[in-house]
Amino acid sequence: MRQKTVLLLLLLSILLFGESMESSYEKARKEMVDVIQREVKSTRGYLGRERLGKNVIDAMEKVPRHAFVLPMNRKYAYENRPLPIGYGQTISQPYIVAIMTDLLDLDPSDRVLEIGTGSGYQAAVLAEVVKEVYTIEVIGELGVAASNRLEKLGYKNIKTRIGDGYYGWKEHAPYDAIIVTAAAGNIPPPLLQQLKPGGRMIIPVKSLFQVQHLILVSKDDKGAITTRQILPVRFVPLTGKH
Ligand code: SAM
């Protein structure tokens, strides 16, 4: 009887601890979103917008970033900065994830292709906003870990694949939007081809002296391409044979 009571008390305290951790993560997420919104406001001259859409704010407040970082970095999960995820790669800064998502002007019915799954965090944010997300990672170990993580978190609208994202994912094309989360030397022509007329792509592109800029690419209804330089950024490079 006494043993049972001790066990019950132990279980109860584990449950209560779990719940209090969850609510402190929730609070930290809200604070992170406040920081992002302030940064969006102060960079409105670059972004061409003052605030994030409600769909993006809701997604950023919902996705548990602490589940996408290495256990030793969990305490930093809701700081507005990139963090290492192993294999020389990083999970992007939350502000960057938010603005890249927002600049795509996504609709709930959209299908989006992401190049550079990494931890799977950006894919999860997208999956809260749109109908389907396709994401490609070139490092096998990262891709498998992200796929398992996303499955465990219950994301059913994300399809993952290991491969060189430079060539896109032709079988599921065309996409309403494409997001590239590693810096390319140019805008990959296969990705331009796989973008729907009327679609948008956001991609960091290297220019002179290795400076990178986030570029917003738009394809009009007739297939004509226009680009707009948004702001200087720093991403890991897009690797591969190209
Ligand atoms: N979106 C990720 C997240 O939310 O954690 C962060 C991406 S990290 C900045 C860039 C990722 O792009 C790395 O995981 C890297 O291995 C991957 N990558 C680099 N070149 C690639 C390629 N050619 N095809 C697919 N993924 C690539």
Side-chain angles (χ1 to χ4, degrees), residues 68 83 85-92 97 114-124 135-139 142-143 149 161-167 179-183 234-242:
F68 293 83
L83 289 168
I85 54 171
Y87 304 91
Q89 305 303 323
T90 52
I91 177 173
S92 304
V97 172
E114 181 197 21
I115 310 304
T117 315
S119 67
Y121 176 68
Q122 172 75 74
T135 180
I136 309 178
E137 171 57 51
V138 78
I139 299 176
L142 280 181
R149 184 175 296 124
R161 172 180 162 181
I162 312 290
D164 186 347
Y166 183 90
Y167 303 99
I179 178 166
V180 183
T181 66
R234 199 158 63 184
F235 276 84
V236 293
L238 189 76
T239 58
K241 278 199 219 111
H242 54 271

Side-chain angles (χ1 to χ4, degrees), residues 35-180:
V35 170
I36 296 172
Q37 299 210 76
R38 282 201 292 277
E39 198 168 340
V40 167
K41 210 164 185 185
S42 66
T43 51
R44 59 185 178 274
Y46 289 106
L47 304 178
R49 54 187 68 186
E50 290 244 344
R51 55 183 70 87
L52 299 169
K54 187 177 178 317
N55 53 353
V56 177
I57 294 173
D58 289 349
M60 298 295 294
E61 281 186 356
K62 186 166 174 200
V63 179
R65 192 170 188 256
H66 64 271
F68 293 83
V69 303
L70 298 174
M72 65 181 185
N73 288 326
R74 223 159 256 171
K75 52 185 176 296
Y76 309 121
Y78 295 107
E79 290 185 5
N80 188 24
R81 57 162 157 141
L83 289 168
I85 54 171
Y87 304 91
Q89 305 303 323
T90 52
I91 177 173
S92 304
Q93 182 192 4
Y95 161 79
I96 292 289
V97 172
I99 63 162
M100 286 177 84
T101 310
D102 200 71
L103 286 164
L104 290 173
D105 288 335
L106 298 166
D107 277 329
S109 59
D110 282 350
R111 298 167 63 253
V112 180
L113 173 67
E114 181 197 21
I115 310 304
T117 315
S119 67
Y121 176 68
Q122 172 75 74
V125 170
L126 288 165
E128 295 290 345
V129 175
V130 300
K131 189 168 147 217
E132 280 167 25
V133 179
Y134 297 85
T135 180
I136 309 178
E137 171 57 51
V138 78
I139 299 176
E141 291 86 343
L142 280 181
V144 170
S147 172
N148 292 339
R149 184 175 296 124
L150 291 165
E151 197 185 328
K152 211 166 129 200
L153 288 168
Y155 285 99
K156 300 215 183 307
N157 58 341
I158 304 176
K159 296 217 173 3
T160 59
R161 172 180 162 181
I162 312 290
D164 186 347
Y166 183 90
Y167 303 99
W169 195 339
K170 219 172 165 183
E171 295 91 305
H172 300 287
Y175 302 96
D176 299 287
I178 299 180
I179 178 166
V180 183

